[in-house]
Amino acid sequence: MNLQNVLVAYFSCTGTTRKVAERLAVAAGADLYEIVPRKPYTAADLNWNNRMSRTSVEMRDPSSRPAIAGNLPDMKNYEVIFAGFPIWWYIAPTIINTFIEGCNLAGKRVIPFATSGGSGIANCERHLRLTYPEINWGKGDLLNGSPSEAQLVGWLEAIKVG
């Protein structure tokens, strides 16, 4: 499948979401952009059992916007953006908000995809739609494991991308 003007943007701390994003970019013939935090997350930062860990503090603060390293992609050439992330506290990590707010995505078709150890994507989608109503949100999916190219192409066809 070869799509025009498609970007797969993703955030991954442990590599799980990265693997899926790379496979999705190949299946879609899309460009790939990694959302890299300016200050990398350590294992201690990711400890959700510690209420004082960096991620716990960020996720409790709706205004948290962790800085992104490097330049954001120029969105004027993209019509469809896949936004990938691990699910943290039942929603997208706050760095996804940094990405969305730093790019001009109004009127663009944005399709979320996520990885998770146990949560579904429905609450993430609902939260993103409410927070950013100016975006044309497509139906997202939870892409755990190692989806094959055929599975990803099937999803792309199901959501009418391509």
Side-chain angles (χ1 to χ4, degrees), residues 43-112:
D45 292 336
L46 298 173
N47 182 358
W48 59 273
N49 288 311
N50 177 353
R51 287 189 45 80
M52 297 312 295
S53 74
R54 178 178 166 196
T55 54
S56 295
V57 171
E58 287 176 358
M59 296 307 290
R60 278 196 311 271
D61 179 2
S63 67
S64 174
R65 298 295 184 269
I68 294 174
N71 296 322
L72 292 170
D74 183 352
M75 292 298 180
K76 71 179 176 206
N77 296 322
Y78 295 109
E79 296 172 17
V80 177
I81 296 96
F82 286 91
F85 49 85
I87 297 174
W88 289 359
W89 289 262
Y90 307 103
I91 59 174
T94 56
I95 198 166
I96 296 300
N97 299 80
T98 308
F99 173 77
I100 290 170
E101 293 167 12
C103 298
N104 182 8
L105 300 180
K108 304 273 186 190
R109 184 168 183 209
V110 180
I111 302 164

Coordinates of all heavy atoms in Angstrom, one line a residue, residues 43-112:
A43 N 14.1 4.7 33.8 CA 13.2 3.7 34.4 C 12.5 4.2 35.7 O 11.3 3.9 35.9 CB 14.1 2.4 34.7
A44 N 13.2 5.0 36.5 CA 12.6 5.5 37.7 C 11.4 6.5 37.3 O 10.4 6.5 38.0 CB 13.6 6.3 38.5
D45 N 11.6 7.3 36.2 CA 10.6 8.2 35.7 C 9.3 7.4 35.3 O 8.2 7.9 35.4 CB 11.0 8.9 34.5 CG 12.1 10.0 34.8 OD1 12.2 10.4 36.0 OD2 12.9 10.3 33.9
L46 N 9.5 6.2 34.8 CA 8.3 5.4 34.3 C 7.7 4.5 35.4 O 6.7 3.8 35.1 CB 8.8 4.5 33.2 CG 9.4 5.2 32.0 CD1 10.0 4.2 31.0 CD2 8.3 6.1 31.3
N47 N 8.1 4.6 36.6 CA 7.6 3.8 37.7 C 6.2 4.3 38.1 O 6.1 5.2 39.0 CB 8.5 3.8 38.9 CG 8.0 2.9 40.0 OD1 6.9 2.3 39.9 ND2 8.8 2.8 41.1
W48 N 5.2 3.7 37.6 CA 3.8 4.2 37.8 C 3.4 3.8 39.3 O 2.4 4.4 39.8 CB 2.8 3.6 36.8 CG 2.8 2.1 36.7 CD1 3.6 1.3 36.0 CD2 1.9 1.3 37.5 NE1 3.3 0.0 36.2 CE2 2.2 -0.1 37.1 CE3 0.9 1.5 38.4 CZ2 1.6 -1.2 37.6 CZ3 0.3 0.4 38.9 CH2 0.6 -0.9 38.5
N49 N 4.1 3.0 40.0 CA 3.8 2.7 41.4 C 4.3 3.8 42.3 O 3.9 3.8 43.5 CB 4.4 1.3 41.8 CG 3.7 0.2 41.1 OD1 2.5 0.1 41.2 ND2 4.5 -0.7 40.5
N50 N 5.1 4.6 41.8 CA 5.7 5.7 42.7 C 4.9 7.0 42.3 O 5.1 7.5 41.2 CB 7.2 5.9 42.4 CG 7.8 7.1 43.2 OD1 7.1 7.9 43.8 ND2 9.1 7.2 43.1
R51 N 4.1 7.5 43.2 CA 3.3 8.7 43.0 C 4.1 9.9 42.7 O 3.6 10.9 42.2 CB 2.3 9.0 44.1 CG 1.2 8.0 44.2 CD 0.1 8.4 45.3 NE -0.3 9.8 45.3 CZ -1.2 10.3 44.4 NH1 -1.7 9.6 43.5 NH2 -1.5 11.6 44.6
M52 N 5.4 9.9 43.0 CA 6.3 11.0 42.8 C 7.2 10.9 41.6 O 8.0 11.7 41.3 CB 7.1 11.3 44.0 CG 6.3 11.7 45.3 SD 5.1 13.0 44.9 CE 6.1 14.3 44.6
S53 N 7.0 9.8 40.9 CA 7.8 9.6 39.6 C 7.4 10.6 38.6 O 6.3 11.2 38.7 CB 7.6 8.2 39.0 OG 6.3 8.1 38.4
R54 N 8.3 10.9 37.7 CA 8.0 11.9 36.7 C 6.7 11.7 35.9 O 5.9 12.6 35.8 CB 9.2 12.0 35.7 CG 9.0 13.0 34.6 CD 10.3 13.0 33.7 NE 10.0 13.7 32.5 CZ 10.8 13.5 31.4 NH1 11.9 12.8 31.5 NH2 10.6 14.2 30.3
T55 N 6.5 10.5 35.5 CA 5.3 10.3 34.7 C 4.0 10.4 35.6 O 3.0 10.9 35.1 CB 5.3 8.9 34.0 OG1 5.6 7.9 35.0 CG2 6.4 8.8 32.9
S56 N 4.1 10.0 36.8 CA 2.9 10.1 37.7 C 2.6 11.6 37.9 O 1.4 11.9 37.9 CB 3.2 9.4 39.1 OG 3.4 8.0 38.9
V57 N 3.6 12.4 38.1 CA 3.4 13.8 38.3 C 2.8 14.4 37.1 O 1.9 15.2 37.1 CB 4.7 14.5 38.8 CG1 4.6 16.0 38.8 CG2 5.1 14.0 40.2
E58 N 3.4 14.1 35.9 CA 3.0 14.7 34.6 C 1.5 14.3 34.3 O 0.7 15.1 33.9 CB 3.8 14.2 33.5 CG 5.2 14.8 33.4 CD 6.1 14.2 32.3 OE1 5.6 13.3 31.6 OE2 7.2 14.7 32.2
M59 N 1.2 13.0 34.6 CA -0.2 12.6 34.2 C -1.2 13.1 35.1 O -2.4 13.2 34.8 CB -0.2 11.0 34.1 CG 0.7 10.5 33.0 SD 0.4 11.2 31.4 CE -1.2 10.5 31.0
R60 N -0.9 13.5 36.4 CA -1.8 14.1 37.3 C -2.1 15.6 36.9 O -3.1 16.2 37.4 CB -1.4 14.0 38.7 CG -1.6 12.7 39.4 CD -1.5 12.7 40.9 NE -0.3 13.3 41.3 CZ 0.9 12.7 41.5 NH1 1.0 11.4 41.3 NH2 1.9 13.3 42.0
D61 N -1.2 16.2 36.1 CA -1.3 17.6 35.8 C -1.8 17.8 34.4 O -1.0 17.6 33.4 CB 0.1 18.2 36.0 CG 0.1 19.7 35.7 OD1 -1.0 20.3 35.3 OD2 1.2 20.3 35.7
P62 N -3.0 18.1 34.2 CA -3.6 18.3 32.8 C -2.8 19.3 32.0 O -2.9 19.3 30.8 CB -5.0 18.7 33.0 CG -5.3 18.4 34.4 CD -4.0 18.4 35.2
S63 N -2.1 20.2 32.6 CA -1.4 21.3 31.9 C 0.0 20.9 31.5 O 0.8 21.6 30.9 CB -1.4 22.6 32.7 OG -0.6 22.5 33.8
S64 N 0.5 19.7 32.0 CA 1.8 19.2 31.7 C 2.1 19.1 30.2 O 1.3 18.5 29.5 CB 2.1 17.9 32.4 OG 3.3 17.4 32.1
R65 N 3.2 19.7 29.8 CA 3.6 19.6 28.3 C 5.1 19.4 28.3 O 5.8 20.3 28.1 CB 3.2 20.9 27.6 CG 1.7 21.2 27.5 CD 0.9 20.1 26.7 NE -0.5 20.4 26.6 CZ -1.4 20.1 27.4 NH1 -1.1 19.4 28.5 NH2 -2.7 20.4 27.2
P66 N 5.5 18.1 28.4 CA 7.0 17.9 28.3 C 7.5 18.3 27.0 O 6.9 18.2 26.0 CB 7.1 16.3 28.4 CG 5.8 15.9 29.1 CD 4.8 16.9 28.6
A67 N 8.7 19.0 27.1 CA 9.3 19.5 25.8 C 9.8 18.4 24.9 O 10.2 17.3 25.4 CB 10.5 20.4 26.2
I68 N 9.7 18.7 23.6 CA 10.2 17.7 22.6 C 11.5 18.2 22.1 O 11.7 19.4 21.8 CB 9.1 17.7 21.4 CG1 7.8 17.1 22.0 CG2 9.7 16.9 20.3 CD1 6.7 17.1 21.0
A69 N 12.4 17.2 21.9 CA 13.8 17.5 21.4 C 13.7 17.7 19.9 O 12.9 17.1 19.2 CB 14.7 16.4 21.7
G70 N 14.5 18.6 19.4 CA 14.6 18.8 17.9 C 13.4 19.6 17.4 O 12.5 20.1 18.1
N71 N 13.3 19.6 16.1 CA 12.2 20.3 15.4 C 11.0 19.4 15.1 O 11.2 18.2 14.9 CB 12.7 20.8 14.0 CG 13.8 21.8 14.2 OD1 13.7 22.7 15.1 ND2 14.8 21.8 13.3
L72 N 9.8 20.0 15.2 CA 8.6 19.3 14.8 C 8.5 19.2 13.3 O 9.1 20.1 12.6 CB 7.4 20.0 15.4 CG 7.3 20.0 16.9 CD1 6.2 20.9 17.3 CD2 7.0 18.6 17.4
P73 N 7.8 18.2 12.8 CA 7.7 18.1 11.3 C 6.8 19.2 10.7 O 5.9 19.7 11.4 CB 7.1 16.7 11.1 CG 6.4 16.4 12.4 CD 7.2 17.1 13.5
D74 N 7.1 19.5 9.5 CA 6.2 20.5 8.8 C 5.0 19.8 8.3 O 5.1 18.9 7.5 CB 7.0 21.1 7.6 CG 6.3 22.2 6.9 OD1 5.1 22.4 7.2 OD2 6.9 22.8 6.0
M75 N 3.9 20.2 8.9 CA 2.6 19.4 8.6 C 1.9 19.9 7.3 O 0.9 19.2 6.9 CB 1.7 19.6 9.8 CG 2.1 18.9 11.0 SD 2.3 17.1 10.7 CE 2.8 16.6 12.3
K76 N 2.4 20.9 6.7 CA 1.6 21.4 5.5 C 1.6 20.4 4.4 O 0.6 20.4 3.6 CB 2.2 22.7 5.0 CG 3.5 22.6 4.3 CD 4.0 24.0 3.9 CE 5.4 23.8 3.3 NZ 6.2 25.0 3.3
N77 N 2.5 19.4 4.3 CA 2.5 18.4 3.3 C 1.8 17.1 3.6 O 1.7 16.2 2.8 CB 3.9 18.1 2.9 CG 4.6 19.3 2.3 OD1 4.0 20.1 1.5 ND2 5.9 19.5 2.6
Y78 N 1.2 17.1 4.8 CA 0.6 15.8 5.3 C -0.9 16.0 5.4 O -1.4 17.0 5.9 CB 1.1 15.4 6.6 CG 2.6 15.0 6.5 CD1 3.6 15.8 7.1 CD2 3.0 13.8 5.8 CE1 4.9 15.4 7.0 CE2 4.3 13.5 5.7 CZ 5.3 14.3 6.3 OH 6.6 14.0 6.2
E79 N -1.7 15.0 4.9 CA -3.1 15.0 5.0 C -3.6 14.1 6.1 O -4.6 14.3 6.7 CB -3.7 14.6 3.6 CG -3.4 15.5 2.5 CD -3.8 14.9 1.1 OE1 -4.6 14.0 1.1 OE2 -3.4 15.4 0.1
V80 N -2.8 13.0 6.3 CA -3.2 12.0 7.3 C -2.0 11.8 8.2 O -0.9 11.7 7.8 CB -3.5 10.7 6.6 CG1 -3.8 9.6 7.7 CG2 -4.7 10.8 5.7
I81 N -2.3 11.9 9.5 CA -1.2 11.7 10.5 C -1.7 10.6 11.4 O -2.7 10.7 12.0 CB -0.9 13.0 11.3 CG1 -0.4 14.1 10.4 CG2 0.1 12.7 12.5 CD1 -1.4 15.1 9.9
F82 N -0.9 9.6 11.5 CA -1.1 8.5 12.6 C -0.3 9.0 13.8 O 0.9 9.3 13.7 CB -0.6 7.2 12.1 CG -1.5 6.5 11.0 CD1 -1.2 6.8 9.7 CD2 -2.5 5.7 11.4 CE1 -2.1 6.2 8.7 CE2 -3.3 5.2 10.5 CZ -3.1 5.4 9.1
A83 N -0.9 9.0 14.9 CA -0.3 9.4 16.2 C -0.2 8.2 17.1 O -1.3 7.7 17.6 CB -1.0 10.6 16.8
G84 N 1.0 7.7 17.4 CA 1.1 6.5 18.2 C 1.8 6.8 19.5 O 2.6 7.7 19.7
F85 N 1.4 6.0 20.5 CA 1.8 6.2 21.9 C 1.5 5.0 22.8 O 0.5 4.3 22.5 CB 1.2 7.5 22.5 CG -0.3 7.5 22.3 CD1 -1.2 6.9 23.2 CD2 -0.9 8.2 21.2 CE1 -2.5 6.9 23.0 CE2 -2.2 8.2 21.0 CZ -3.1 7.6 21.9
P86 N 2.2 4.8 23.9 CA 1.8 3.9 24.9 C 0.7 4.5 25.7 O 0.7 5.8 25.9 CB 3.0 3.7 25.7 CG 3.8 5.0 25.6 CD 3.5 5.5 24.2
I87 N -0.2 3.8 26.2 CA -1.3 4.3 27.1 C -0.8 4.4 28.5 O -0.3 3.5 29.1 CB -2.6 3.4 27.0 CG1 -3.1 3.4 25.6 CG2 -3.6 4.0 28.0 CD1 -4.3 2.5 25.4
W88 N -0.9 5.7 29.0 CA -0.5 5.9 30.4 C -1.7 6.4 31.1 O -2.3 7.4 30.7 CB 0.6 7.0 30.4 CG 2.0 6.6 29.9 CD1 2.3 5.3 29.5 CD2 3.1 7.4 29.9 NE1 3.7 5.4 29.1 CE2 4.2 6.6 29.3 CE3 3.4 8.7 30.2 CZ2 5.5 7.1 29.1 CZ3 4.7 9.2 30.0 CH2 5.7 8.4 29.5
W89 N -2.0 5.8 32.2 CA -3.1 6.2 33.1 C -4.4 6.4 32.2 O -5.1 7.4 32.4 CB -2.8 7.5 33.8 CG -1.8 7.3 34.9 CD1 -2.0 7.2 36.2 CD2 -0.4 7.2 34.8 NE1 -0.8 7.0 36.9 CE2 0.2 7.0 36.0 CE3 0.5 7.3 33.7 CZ2 1.5 6.9 36.2 CZ3 1.9 7.1 33.9 CH2 2.4 6.9 35.1
Y90 N -4.6 5.5 31.3 CA -5.9 5.4 30.5 C -6.0 6.4 29.4 O -7.0 6.5 28.8 CB -7.1 5.3 31.4 CG -7.1 4.3 32.5 CD1 -6.8 4.6 33.8 CD2 -7.2 2.9 32.1 CE1 -6.7 3.7 34.8 CE2 -7.1 2.0 33.1 CZ -6.9 2.3 34.4 OH -6.8 1.4 35.4
I91 N -5.0 7.3 29.3 CA -5.0 8.3 28.2 C -3.6 8.4 27.5 O -2.7 7.7 28.0 CB -5.4 9.7 28.7 CG1 -4.4 10.2 29.8 CG2 -6.8 9.7 29.3 CD1 -4.7 11.6 30.3
A92 N -3.5 9.2 26.5 CA -2.2 9.4 25.9 C -1.3 10.2 26.8 O -1.7 11.1 27.6 CB -2.4 10.2 24.6
P93 N 0.0 9.9 26.8 CA 1.0 10.6 27.6 C 0.9 12.1 27.2 O 0.6 12.5 26.1 CB 2.4 10.0 27.1 CG 2.0 8.7 26.6 CD 0.7 8.8 26.0
T94 N 1.2 13.0 28.2 CA 1.1 14.4 28.0 C 2.0 14.9 26.9 O 1.8 16.0 26.3 CB 1.3 15.2 29.3 OG1 2.6 14.8 29.8 CG2 0.2 14.9 30.3
I95 N 3.1 14.2 26.5 CA 4.0 14.7 25.4 C 3.2 14.6 24.1 O 3.6 15.4 23.2 CB 5.3 13.9 25.4 CG1 6.3 14.6 24.5 CG2 5.0 12.5 24.9 CD1 7.7 14.1 24.7
I96 N 2.2 13.8 24.0 CA 1.3 13.8 22.8 C 0.6 15.2 22.7 O 0.5 15.7 21.6 CB 0.4 12.6 22.8 CG1 1.1 11.3 22.8 CG2 -0.7 12.7 21.7 CD1 2.0 11.1 21.5
N97 N 0.2 15.7 23.8 CA -0.4 17.1 23.8 C 0.6 18.1 23.3 O 0.3 19.0 22.5 CB -0.9 17.5 25.1 CG -2.0 16.5 25.6 OD1 -1.7 15.4 26.1 ND2 -3.2 16.9 25.5
T98 N 1.9 18.0 23.7 CA 2.9 18.9 23.3 C 3.0 18.8 21.8 O 3.1 19.8 21.1 CB 4.3 18.5 23.9 OG1 4.1 18.4 25.4 CG2 5.3 19.5 23.6
F99 N 3.0 17.6 21.2 CA 3.2 17.4 19.8 C 2.0 18.0 19.1 O 2.1 18.8 18.1 CB 3.3 15.9 19.5 CG 3.2 15.5 18.0 CD1 4.3 15.7 17.2 CD2 2.1 15.0 17.5 CE1 4.3 15.5 15.9 CE2 2.0 14.8 16.1 CZ 3.1 15.0 15.3
I100 N 0.8 17.7 19.5 CA -0.4 18.2 18.8 C -0.5 19.7 18.8 O -0.8 20.3 17.8 CB -1.7 17.6 19.5 CG1 -1.8 16.1 19.2 CG2 -3.0 18.3 19.0 CD1 -2.9 15.3 20.0
E101 N -0.2 20.3 20.0 CA -0.3 21.7 20.1 C 0.9 22.4 19.4 O 0.8 23.6 19.0 CB -0.3 22.1 21.6 CG -1.6 21.7 22.2 CD -1.6 21.7 23.8 OE1 -0.7 22.3 24.4 OE2 -2.5 21.1 24.4
G102 N 2.0 21.7 19.2 CA 3.1 22.3 18.5 C 3.0 22.3 17.0 O 3.7 22.9 16.2
C103 N 2.1 21.4 16.5 CA 1.9 21.3 15.0 C 0.5 21.8 14.7 O -0.4 21.9 15.5 CB 1.9 19.8 14.7 SG 3.4 19.0 15.0
N104 N 0.4 22.3 13.5 CA -1.0 22.8 13.0 C -1.7 21.6 12.5 O -1.6 21.2 11.3 CB -0.8 23.9 12.0 CG -2.1 24.4 11.5 OD1 -3.2 24.1 12.1 ND2 -2.1 25.3 10.5
L105 N -2.6 21.0 13.3 CA -3.3 19.8 12.9 C -4.8 20.1 12.7 O -5.5 19.2 12.3 CB -3.1 18.7 13.9 CG -1.7 18.2 14.2 CD1 -1.7 17.1 15.2 CD2 -1.1 17.7 12.9
A106 N -5.2 21.3 12.8 CA -6.6 21.7 12.6 C -7.0 21.2 11.2 O -6.3 21.6 10.2 CB -6.8 23.1 12.8
G107 N -8.1 20.5 11.1 CA -8.6 20.0 9.8 C -7.9 18.8 9.2 O -8.4 18.3 8.2
K108 N -6.8 18.4 9.8 CA -6.1 17.2 9.3 C -6.8 16.0 9.9 O -7.5 16.0 10.9 CB -4.7 17.2 9.9 CG -3.8 18.4 9.5 CD -3.2 18.3 8.2 CE -2.3 19.5 7.9 NZ -1.8 19.5 6.6
R109 N -6.6 14.9 9.1 CA -7.1 13.6 9.6 C -6.1 13.0 10.5 O -5.0 12.7 10.0 CB -7.5 12.7 8.5 CG -8.1 11.4 8.9 CD -8.8 10.6 7.8 NE -9.4 9.4 8.3 CZ -9.5 8.3 7.6 NH1 -9.1 8.3 6.4 NH2 -10.1 7.3 8.2
V110 N -6.3 12.8 11.8 CA -5.4 12.2 12.7 C -6.0 10.9 13.2 O -7.1 10.9 13.7 CB -5.1 13.2 13.8 CG1 -4.1 12.6 14.8 CG2 -4.5 14.5 13.3
I111 N -5.2 9.9 13.1 CA -5.7 8.5 13.6 C -4.7 8.1 14.7 O -3.5 7.8 14.4 CB -5.7 7.6 12.4 CG1 -6.6 8.1 11.3 CG2 -6.1 6.2 12.8 CD1 -6.4 7.5 9.9
P112 N -5.3 7.9 15.9 CA -4.4 7.4 17.0 C -4.2 5.9 16.9 O -5.1 5.2 16.5 CB -5.2 7.8 18.2 CG -6.6 7.9 17.8 CD -6.6 8.2 16.3

